């Protein structure tokens, strides 16, 4: 059984399911919660993943009764079905509550956490508490095993990020093909705009991205904007950006995403996994993120208390412990300052060289040897399943 709570987890879950099937000659039956990618691998989700894909304290608080009902529904389903193994994928506010209930009422079910919570960012005490209900953590970031060991959390293995498979050492011809398809010449500059994967964050960033783009187009006439939308919110993004004053191209995530990354000169993106993907693809990026008012006030009040360790927001900066990717994080963002950051990445060769060197260091840190990251994760899960099967045979 697999449980994902948002689009990025659905993508990872779909890849993991495919690798598990390849590693299991007798075949595997899947059930749980996921989206389109997991459905393509044979998962019949208990409900739409959009029902639980929320972020920000304000949004979570307003939907607490709804989320609690789904947590109980998923946990009780697992308790009834008794899967050989439960994999919870990211979205800890949802998936870990499911896992705790399952462990309490069906302790015999092994539980694997694929993509653990960011205990290195805030609430380190979660790591120790996870020992009660998580048997193994599969990490996408190379520094996480050390953190979980220091904080006395469950065993944690770095299997690598699947984005390494997709974006590192890619075919540059795909970028040229993208430009040809959309009639973008070599002397035009592609600005990739990635406003996020959740509708509430996209709404918050929409006017900021639009005003930033307007300022950039005045200063940099050779700019060709391309908006990247995730499949789950494509209709909403299409509606929002259709009102923008600057002409642009809209691309749907994972259909032409790799081609777009290869073609792009610079990016403006919401904070999240995409900053990691863009770094692996060598696209200089500016991060912009605005939280809801309640979230922003609480984060500001906790900063520097030890409860929250927020020196950087971009995964690239966090992994390297230095600022490679420019970050703009506030309740109210300033489009003028954001546009200046983007322009600097376009026009300042020294700045671009520093960014590319930082990306090279990050790619070295993220690299894995032998099997692909997804295959490594699948191998660890299959190992747990085989161990459980041996124990069952011995008890019989």
């Amino acid at each position: 059984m697999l449980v994902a709570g948002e689009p990025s987890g659905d993508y990872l879950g779909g890849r993991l399911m495919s690798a598990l099937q390849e590693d299991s000659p007798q075949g595997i039956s899947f059930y749980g919660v996921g989206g389109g990618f997991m459905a393509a691998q044979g998962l019949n989700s208990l409900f739409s993943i959009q029902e639980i894909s929320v972020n920000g304290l304000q949004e979570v608080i307003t939907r607490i009764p709804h989320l609690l009902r789904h947590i109980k529904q998923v946990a009780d389903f697992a308790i009834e079905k008794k899967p050989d193994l439960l994999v919870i994928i990211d979205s800890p506010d949802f998936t870990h509550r499911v896992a705790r209930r399952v462990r309490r009422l069906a302790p015999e079910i092994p539980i694997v956490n694929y993509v653990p919570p960011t205990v290195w960012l805030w609430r380190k005490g979660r790591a120790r508490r996870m020992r009660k209900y998580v048997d193994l953590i599969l990490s996408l970031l190379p520094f996480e095993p050390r953190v979980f060991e220091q904080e006395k959390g469950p065993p944690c293995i770095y299997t690598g990020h699947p984005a390494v498979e997709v974006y590192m050492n890619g075919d540059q011809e795909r970028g040229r093909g993208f430009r040809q398809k959309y009639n973008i010449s070599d002397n035009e500059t592609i600005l990739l705009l990635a406003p996020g994967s959740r509708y509430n964050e996209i709404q918050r960033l929409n006017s900021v991205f639009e005003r930033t783009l307007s300022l950039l187009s005045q200063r940099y006439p050779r700019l060709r904007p391309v908006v990247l939308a995730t499949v789950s919110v494509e209709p909403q993004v299409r509606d929002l950006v259709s009102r923008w004053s600057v002409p642009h191209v809209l691309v749907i995530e994972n259909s032409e995403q790799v081609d777009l990354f290869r073609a792009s000169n610079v990016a403006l993106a919401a904070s999240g996994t995409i900053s990691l993907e863009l770094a692996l693809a060598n696209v200089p990026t500016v991060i912009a993120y605005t939280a809801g008012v309640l979230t922003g006030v609480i984060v500001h009040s906790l900063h520097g208390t030890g409860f929250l360790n927020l020196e950087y927001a971009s995964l690239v900066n966090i992994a390297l412990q230095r600022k490679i990717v420019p970050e703009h994080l506030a309740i109210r963002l300033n489009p003028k300052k954001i546009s200046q950051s983007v322009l600097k990445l376009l026009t300042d060769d020294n700045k671009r060289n520093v960014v590319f060197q930082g990306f090279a260091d990050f790619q070295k840190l993220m690299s894995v040897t032998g099997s692909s990251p997804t295959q490594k994760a699948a191998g660890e899960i299959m190992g747990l399943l085989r161990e459980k099967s041996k124990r069952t045979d011995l008890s019989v």
Side-chain angles (χ1 to χ4, degrees):
M1 180 171 176
L2 302 98
V3 181
E6 56 186 299
S8 60
D10 170 48
Y11 174 70
L12 294 170
R15 293 180 67 91
L16 180 63
M17 290 168 66
S18 177
L20 285 168
Q21 289 284 26
E22 291 176 7
D23 205 8
S24 176
Q26 68 271 37
I28 299 179
S29 297
F30 297 108
Y31 46 88
V33 179
F37 289 101
M38 293 168 73
Q41 297 300 324
L43 183 85
N44 290 317
S45 185
L46 294 175
F47 46 80
S48 169
I49 200 171
Q50 291 303 310
E51 294 186 33
I52 56 172
S53 181
V54 296
N55 75 321
L57 294 175
Q58 199 165 341
E59 292 81 6
V60 171
I61 287 171
T62 58
R63 301 187 66 189
I64 283 176
H66 174 84
L67 293 170
L68 289 176
R69 283 195 298 273
H70 276 315
I71 288 165
K72 185 177 185 300
Q73 176 188 0
V74 176
D76 289 353
F77 183 84
I79 293 160
E80 178 189 352
K81 288 288 187 179
K82 293 206 169 15
D84 291 300
L85 190 139
L86 170 63
V87 181
I88 55 172
I89 307 173
D90 207 353
S91 305
D93 289 334
F94 184 87
T95 62
H96 284 237
R97 284 174 169 81
V98 170
R100 288 199 293 268
R101 182 175 175 85
V102 170
R103 178 51 49 93
R104 188 173 72 252
L105 299 176
E108 72 279 8
I109 300 174
I111 300 176
V112 173
N113 183 191
Y114 190 34
V115 194
T118 54
V119 299
W120 37 267
L121 179 62
W122 76 309
R123 292 169 57 200
K124 284 188 175 182
R126 289 180 294 175
R128 187 190 295 262
R129 292 193 292 273
M130 284 171 62
R131 291 189 73 94
K132 297 178 181 179
Y133 60 90
V134 170
D135 299 295
L136 178 65
I137 296 171
L138 303 179
S139 163
L140 274 60
L141 300 173
F143 55 84
E144 288 182 318
R146 172 178 50 81
V147 174
F148 276 95
E149 183 179 10
Q150 289 174 347
E151 298 302 320
K152 297 180 171 52
C156 180
I157 297 172
Y158 173 58
T159 56
H161 201 295
V164 171
E165 308 166 38
V166 179
Y167 296 108
M168 283 178 65
N169 306 315
D171 181 8
Q172 295 303 319
E173 285 296 327
R174 296 183 65 167
R176 284 187 276 274
F178 182 90
R179 285 177 174 268
Q180 290 172 1
K181 178 176 179 178
Y182 290 100
N183 197 28
I184 301 173
S185 66
D186 290 341
N187 65 354
E188 290 180 294
T189 297
I190 293 181
L191 167 63
L192 189 166
L193 296 141
S197 60
R198 302 181 187 91
Y199 186 52
N200 55 355
E201 70 179 345
I202 293 166
Q203 282 183 307
R204 288 197 298 265
L205 286 171
N206 179 59
S207 62
V208 176
F209 273 38
E210 181 184 12
R211 293 200 299 267
T212 301
L213 178 56
S214 179
L215 290 169
L216 285 168
S217 63
Q218 294 169 24
R219 297 279 303 278
Y220 208 89
R222 293 188 290 111
L223 204 66
R224 289 294 299 272
V226 180
V227 179
L228 178 66
T230 61
V231 175
S232 58
V233 291
E234 181 266 332
Q236 294 94 328
V237 173
R238 187 180 296 277
D239 178 59
L240 287 171
V241 301
S242 68
R243 305 167 202 170
W244 288 7
S245 58
V246 180
H248 56 272
V249 173
L250 180 67
V251 170
I252 309 305
E253 181 186 44
N254 298 309
S255 58
E256 296 180 287
Q257 182 171 328
V258 177
D259 300 355
L260 169 59
F261 280 28
R262 295 280 171 246
S264 295
N265 302 96
V266 68
L268 171 60
S271 180
T273 304
I274 193 164
S275 66
L276 176 149
E277 296 170 340
L278 288 163
L280 294 175
N282 283 318
V283 183
T285 303
V286 173
I287 294 298
Y289 190 79
T290 177
V293 174
L294 177 59
T295 306
V297 169
I298 292 175
V299 167
H300 180 75
S301 65
L302 291 175
H303 185 55
T305 63
F307 188 79
L308 179 66
N309 308 292
L310 187 61
E311 187 172 359
Y312 303 111
S314 164
L315 289 172
V316 180
N317 295 342
I318 291 168
L320 295 176
Q321 280 301 290
R322 67 183 196 267
K323 195 169 186 177
I324 297 298
V325 176
E327 300 176 347
H328 294 263
L329 312 166
I331 296 175
R332 296 184 187 278
L333 293 174
N334 187 324
K336 184 177 180 180
K337 290 182 178 179
I338 297 172
S339 66
Q340 289 170 346
S341 292
V342 175
L343 278 170
K344 194 166 187 178
L345 288 180
L346 286 172
T347 60
D348 187 332
D349 289 340
N350 289 333
K351 176 64 175 175
R352 287 175 65 84
N353 289 336
V354 169
V355 169
F356 287 132
Q357 182 55 57
F359 284 175
D361 294 341
F362 179 69
Q363 291 165 13
K364 184 177 180 180
L365 192 65
M366 293 291 295
S367 62
V368 293
T369 57
S371 303
S372 73
T374 307
Q375 289 169 334
K376 285 180 181 293
E380 294 294 339
I381 289 171
M382 292 303 299
L384 278 181
L385 287 170
R386 292 183 184 110
E387 283 181 23
K388 182 182 178 183
S389 178
K390 287 178 183 177
R391 290 196 301 269
T392 303
D393 291 342
L394 287 171
S395 65
V396 172

